[in-house]
Amino acid sequence: MSMTPEQAAWFRDTFTRLVDNVDIALMGKREVVGLVLAAMLAEGHVLLEDAPGTGKTSLAKALAASVQGTSNRIQFTPDLLPSDVTGVTIYDQQNHKFEFHRGPVFASIMLADEINRASPKTQSALLEVMEESRVTVDGVAHDVGRPFLVIATQNPIEQAGTYKLPEAQLDRFMIKTSIGYPSLAIAERILAGAVDRNPSAQLTPVITTGAVADMADLAASVHIDPAVARYTAQLVEATRAAEATRLGVSVRGAISMIRMAKVYAAAQGRHYVIPDDIKTLALPVWSHRLVLDPEAEFSGVTAEKVVQRALDDVEAPLARATA
């Protein structure tokens, strides 16, 4: 059953209230907050590529506080073990049985700070939980619950002692974006309130985690016309056919776009997706999934340029189809 106009209006109002609430702690970054919130409601994960000190931890804490959820932060280092992330089974001598001790990944929002500093083995420990929302230890599956959002960060400047994320893991992030530094006016406001070291603690929850799961289910019912789905497929094909790419957008990337577009449409108060939704989301959803030809990359071609070229070349449907 498709979303109704009344449900779309409620979704938009609730989405706006959540963004407003997070904006109290992370001032002046409403667009980024909206993207991250949309990714959570689309039940995906986020990769933030930012310099240190731009508010990534504040974003995770504020988002968790707004949905009455929990948040954990893991500082990824070269000596971090997979069990340090997922948890471990320990033998209880008193009860004479093995018990599972949950790792920090069991939270509504998990901040994986500088994920590219951990070894590939530890990075891969996140693959199952990001895809399946569960952890398997000693053959036993443990669900992490809903909502579940991984916000992973990596420093784009400092590459010494890091391990590049493989394409298979990059493809599991629904979006890649950046918070960036605040404007001068916002920086002045931040400095004026610098005495409060944890502004997220002052936030009042807007909705419960159960309501977040309901919003995710509701967003999945947003109507998408076959013409819009065909337009998305044509864009994906254009990234694969581009001379500058060795690997274009995957099927997972195309599905991620549809899921994000449905949430984005509902956040605008619509119960249907339009081509402009796809255009707006193309760069954050698709750019990090492309693998460029080394010669093209050396000559200055970027993934963003390839995606933009696809948007320029593929004609969007003219009619705005509704449910």
Side-chain angles (χ1 to χ4, degrees):
M1 184 176 178
S2 296
M3 177 187 283
T4 65
E6 293 75 20
Q7 290 173 323
W10 172 85
F11 192 105
R12 177 198 58 209
D13 294 343
T14 306
F15 191 94
T16 301
R17 287 167 53 209
L18 284 167
V19 173
D20 290 342
N21 207 49
V22 176
D23 188 57
I24 296 173
L26 195 73
M27 301 179 200
K29 297 296 179 180
R30 295 181 61 86
E31 183 178 350
V32 176
V33 171
L35 279 174
V36 174
L37 179 57
M40 181 175 73
L41 294 174
E43 300 190 300
H45 306 286
V46 178
L47 179 62
L48 292 179
E49 192 167 78
D50 261 313
T54 52
K56 299 181 287 291
T57 303
S58 296
L59 171 61
K61 288 183 176 181
L63 195 54
S66 297
V67 300
Q68 211 170 39
T70 58
S71 66
N72 284 329
R73 177 180 177 274
I74 308 175
Q75 181 64 52
F76 277 65
T77 57
D79 59 347
L80 192 73
L81 299 175
S83 59
D84 295 331
V85 177
T86 59
V88 64
T89 301
I90 298 177
Y91 184 72
D92 189 333
Q93 294 183 345
Q94 191 171 25
N95 297 324
H96 303 289
K97 63 179 182 180
F98 287 94
E99 292 185 351
F100 177 65
H101 290 242
R102 295 186 170 194
V105 76
F106 286 87
S108 304
I109 298 173
M110 190 197 83
L111 180 66
D113 209 5
E114 294 190 289
I115 188 175
N116 54 336
R117 289 202 174 278
S119 68
K121 183 177 182 180
T122 301
Q123 290 178 11
S124 67
L126 282 176
L127 293 181
E128 181 193 13
V129 66
M130 288 173 62
E131 189 71 18
E132 306 293 341
S133 295
R134 67 183 181 189
V135 170
T136 302
V137 178
D138 295 332
V140 180
H142 306 272
D143 291 330
V144 295
R146 297 174 72 194
F148 174 64
L149 171 69
V150 172
I151 301 178
T153 76
Q154 57 181 6
N155 186 339
I157 305 300
E158 189 177 356
Q159 300 298 324
T162 63
Y163 300 87
K164 184 180 178 181
L165 294 179
E167 285 73 19
Q169 187 162 335
L170 281 173
D171 201 38
R172 281 171 168 79
F173 288 101
M174 183 164 280
I175 64 169
K176 177 184 176 183
T177 187
S178 172
I179 296 176
Y181 291 116
S183 65
L184 178 60
I186 296 298
E188 290 176 358
R189 290 175 55 193
I190 293 173
L191 294 177
V195 175
D196 188 358
R197 293 176 58 87
N198 186 17
S200 303
Q202 313 301 322
L203 297 182
T204 302
V206 175
I207 57 176
T208 64
T209 53
V212 174
D214 291 340
M215 287 183 72
D217 293 336
L218 187 60
S221 68
V222 170
H223 174 73
I224 181 160
D225 190 82
V228 179
R230 188 182 310 113
Y231 174 59
T232 305
Q234 290 171 339
L235 288 172
V236 168
E237 187 61 33
T239 66
R240 298 171 184 168
E243 293 182 359
T245 59
R246 292 176 56 189
L247 192 66
V249 175
S250 67
V251 175
R252 181 188 286 116
I255 294 173
S256 294
M257 172 59 79
I258 297 300
R259 287 164 56 188
M260 275 289 290
K262 287 185 173 186
V263 175
Y264 186 83
Q268 311 306 309
R270 283 184 277 103
H271 60 289
Y272 53 90
V273 176
I274 61 176
D276 281 350
D277 297 331
I278 308 298
K279 294 178 181 179
T280 300
L281 296 168
L283 291 179
V285 175
W286 282 342
S287 294
H288 63 287
R289 304 175 191 270
L290 302 183
V291 178
L292 299 180
D293 180 82
E295 291 187 8
E297 196 169 9
F298 182 76
S299 64
V301 177
T302 63
E304 289 78 10
K305 289 181 179 179
V306 173
V307 174
Q308 188 59 55
R309 179 67 182 270
L311 291 172
D312 294 339
D313 291 347
V314 179
E315 185 177 357
L318 295 179
R320 191 179 74 173
T322 62

